[in-house]
């Protein structure tokens, strides 16, 4: 996995001690049915699961399916980070439309002994263009999948996707 330089710089000073880091999750959706011209209208949620596709990636480090996730860079807005990570990881252009949730994730202990706890901010993003592929090596697969055919994910991502697709305005 690509570790941002600012994290590597911190690790030089604190070793494996726990870090508190900002993270983001991008739930990218697009209409499952293009019109006669190949255009996909914006998804209006809630909608039937067969009418919406969700961007999912298979992580290179553990083989699990997730939405796009990443670390928010210093001074970066979390929504901008979700848009950036979507482009970097899957070569998909999208725009953030709604805050879905803010939650603490972790602590996570990595194979090298580093310990990190994340404050994850999840956003719903509307697809604008691009067909996904694993663009930066952090993932081995990237696909849009109909919401009624999502691959198995852990409880956190299942909950985040359900919130995002609910159309609920309030964040949890």
């Amino acid at each position: 996995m690509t570790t941002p330089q600012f994290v590597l710089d911190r690790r030089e000073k604190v070793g494996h001690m726990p870090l508190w880091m900002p993270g983001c999750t991008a739930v990218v959706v697009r209409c499952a049915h293009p019109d006669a011209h190949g255009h996909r209208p914006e998804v209006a949620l809630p909608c039937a699961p067969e009418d919406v596709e969700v961007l999912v990636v298979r992580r290179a480090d553990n083989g699990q399916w997730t939405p796009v996730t990443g670390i928010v860079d210093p001074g970066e807005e979390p929504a901008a980070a979700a848009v950036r990570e979507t482009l970097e990881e899957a070569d998909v252009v999208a725009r953030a439309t709604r805050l879905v949730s803010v939650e603490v994730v972790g602590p996570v202990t990595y194979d090298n002994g580093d310990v990190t706890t994340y404050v994850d901010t999840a956003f719903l993003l509307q697809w604008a263009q691009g067909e996904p592929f694993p663009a930066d090596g952090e993932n081995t697969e990237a696909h849009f999948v109909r919401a009624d055919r999502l691959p198995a994910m852990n409880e956190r991502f299942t909950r985040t996707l359900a919130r995002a697709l609910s159309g609920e305005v309030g964040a949890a």
Side-chain angles (χ1 to χ4, degrees):
M1 305 305 288
T2 304
T3 304
Q5 188 60 48
F6 79 93
V7 175
L8 297 174
D9 293 344
R10 286 180 182 171
R11 285 288 176 208
E12 282 184 20
K13 294 180 181 357
V14 301
H16 299 301
M17 288 177 54
L19 288 181
W20 181 253
M21 297 286 295
C24 64
T25 298
V27 179
V28 183
V29 297
R30 73 177 183 186
C31 180
H33 311 290
D35 65 19
H37 304 288
H39 298 103
R40 293 178 188 264
E42 188 168 295
V43 175
L45 295 171
C47 66
E50 64 270 13
D51 292 335
V52 62
E53 294 178 331
V54 178
L55 177 62
V56 295
V57 296
R58 185 186 292 266
R59 294 174 53 105
D61 62 345
N62 62 19
Q64 294 183 6
W65 288 101
T66 70
V68 170
T69 62
I71 294 174
V72 180
D73 288 338
E76 185 178 33
E77 293 291 337
V83 168
R84 173 184 54 77
E85 290 285 351
T86 300
L87 183 60
E88 288 176 2
E89 291 189 18
D91 201 37
V92 167
V93 176
R95 65 182 177 78
T97 59
R98 182 166 58 84
L99 175 64
V100 173
S101 63
V102 178
E103 64 182 295
V104 174
V105 177
V108 177
T109 301
Y110 293 94
D111 290 342
N112 67 357
D114 289 351
V115 179
T116 306
T117 299
Y118 297 92
V119 177
D120 184 77
T121 309
F123 294 93
L124 176 70
L125 280 70
Q126 289 278 344
W127 173 86
Q129 67 183 36
E131 287 303 317
F133 70 95
D136 69 357
E138 290 188 35
N139 303 296
T140 59
E141 296 181 59
H143 307 282
F144 275 105
V145 178
R146 272 186 17 189
D148 60 345
R149 297 181 181 163
L150 290 168
M153 294 185 197
N154 70 30
E155 189 273 330
R156 171 185 159 226
F157 291 124
T158 299
R159 184 179 64 248
T160 300
L161 287 169
R163 283 184 190 145
L165 297 173
S166 73
E168 189 179 315
V169 176

